[in-house]
Amino acid sequence: MEGIKHYLIDMDGVILQGTKLIPGAAEFIQRLRTKGASFLILTNNSRYILRDLQVRLHDLGLEVPQEAIFTSALATAQFLHTQRPGGKAYVLGEAGLTTALHDIGYILTDQKPEYVVLGETTTYSFERITRAIRFVMAGARFITTNPDVTGPGEGGIVPATGAVAALISAATGAKPYFIGKPNPLMMRTALRTLDAHSEDSVIIGDRMDTDIVSGIESGLQTILVLTGVTTREQVERFPYRPTWIHKSVADIEVEG
């Protein structure tokens, strides 16, 4: 870990396990602060505004400023701002995504949008999906915050953004551009937010197929923790390897 100054830290499976803070996570964040390391806590979920996520972490015992949290909604908004500043979008998503788009000056509309932007929500409707399909077929560019096809819900898994994106793709023949992990774009956007370089940065994640591969493709060093999705035995099935493997963030030492 020598020479690492900046840490990108996945939220679910690394800091949180369901609705509980992973043991040692708060102490790990404190070690980063003590050593003067910069960090961002990342999530592919675009539903929540930063204040909501900050309060959620606070209620679980982890104090971080809003500026230390980075979501796929923010990455999506920044991407659209670089592509077409002040553009118009039809959005299927919740406050995290709509707020991020408003903040960069986007107009949210159901009249001739330039983009259809799909994010996480629990209130997808057939009417809105139909409208999105028609806009894409009329030429709107199709952007999706993240490719996750399922997520956790009451009583089990629920369909997520990637599943709805597949429905729209099947109807239109148009493939979306996914912004969130494993797209390295999210890693690079997060690094710019920290004013950091990949050479002295690391991504900490619990999934080989999103966190670790996007870190590798972005030139970061990588840490897989075993408190989430990928098990130690599953690591050998992948054609790439993390730089380090730890049982949890509690075991990660921070260099001064």
Side-chain angles (χ1 to χ4, degrees):
M1 297 294 293
E2 186 175 350
I4 299 297
K5 300 177 182 177
H6 312 285
Y7 292 75
L8 304 181
I9 309 162
D10 186 41
M11 182 180 292
D12 295 304
V14 178
I15 297 296
L16 300 180
Q17 201 166 50
T19 58
K20 295 182 179 179
L21 202 64
I22 286 176
E27 291 79 4
F28 171 66
I29 296 298
Q30 186 55 48
R31 289 200 296 277
L32 293 178
R33 289 195 171 109
T34 301
K35 296 293 186 177
S38 66
F39 66 91
L40 277 181
I41 297 173
L42 309 181
T43 176
N44 252 6
N45 195 316
S46 64
R47 287 178 61 191
Y48 304 106
I49 62 173
L50 297 183
R51 174 63 177 158
D52 292 341
L53 292 171
Q54 180 193 34
V55 170
R56 177 187 177 195
L57 293 173
H58 164 79
D59 290 346
L60 294 174
L62 181 59
E63 300 292 343
V64 295
Q66 293 181 41
E67 297 76 22
I69 304 171
F70 193 74
T71 71
S72 64
L74 294 176
T76 299
Q78 291 182 32
F79 170 76
L80 289 174
H81 182 63
T82 62
Q83 292 287 302
R84 188 179 293 262
K88 298 189 296 182
Y90 181 72
V91 178
L92 288 84
E94 298 195 14
L97 181 56
T98 56
T99 300
L101 291 171
H102 274 140
D103 287 348
I104 54 96
Y106 251 63
I107 298 168
L108 308 189
T109 181
D110 59 2
Q111 300 294 319
K112 298 182 179 179
E114 296 158 308
Y115 293 93
V116 166
V117 183
L118 173 66
E120 209 75 62
T121 178
T122 57
T123 57
Y124 294 114
S125 75
F126 184 77
E127 178 185 354
R128 289 182 59 78
I129 291 172
T130 299
R131 193 171 293 180
I133 287 169
R134 291 173 180 171
F135 286 140
V136 171
M137 293 183 75
R141 302 155 187 86
F142 187 18
I143 303 291
T144 305
T145 57
N146 64 285
D148 303 73
V149 294
T150 61
E154 285 295 325
I157 64 167
V158 295
T161 310
V164 180
L167 186 159
I168 295 173
S169 290
T172 62
K175 293 184 178 181
Y177 183 60
F178 293 107
I179 302 295
K181 299 174 294 179
N183 188 343
L185 178 68
M186 184 155 171
M187 298 295 103
R188 293 170 185 154
T189 308
L191 289 175
R192 284 198 300 273
T193 300
L194 286 177
D195 194 22
H197 296 286
S198 58
E199 291 82 1
D200 53 8
S201 302
V202 66
I203 172 72
I204 306 172
D206 70 301
R207 294 185 65 131
M208 288 289 289
D209 58 347
T210 56
D211 308 312
I212 302 306
V213 69
S214 60
I216 290 170
E217 292 180 357
S218 303
L220 287 83
Q221 300 202 63
T222 58
I223 298 174
L224 177 73
V225 292
L226 304 176
T227 46
V229 173
T230 303
T231 66
R232 187 180 293 273
E233 293 73 27
Q234 290 171 334
V235 173
E236 299 302 325
R237 302 177 189 173
F238 291 86
Y240 48 85
R241 291 185 59 83
T243 313
W244 299 283
I245 300 176
H246 288 287
K247 288 183 180 179
S248 79
V249 289
D251 300 323
I252 299 174
E253 296 183 6
V254 180
E255 294 293 328

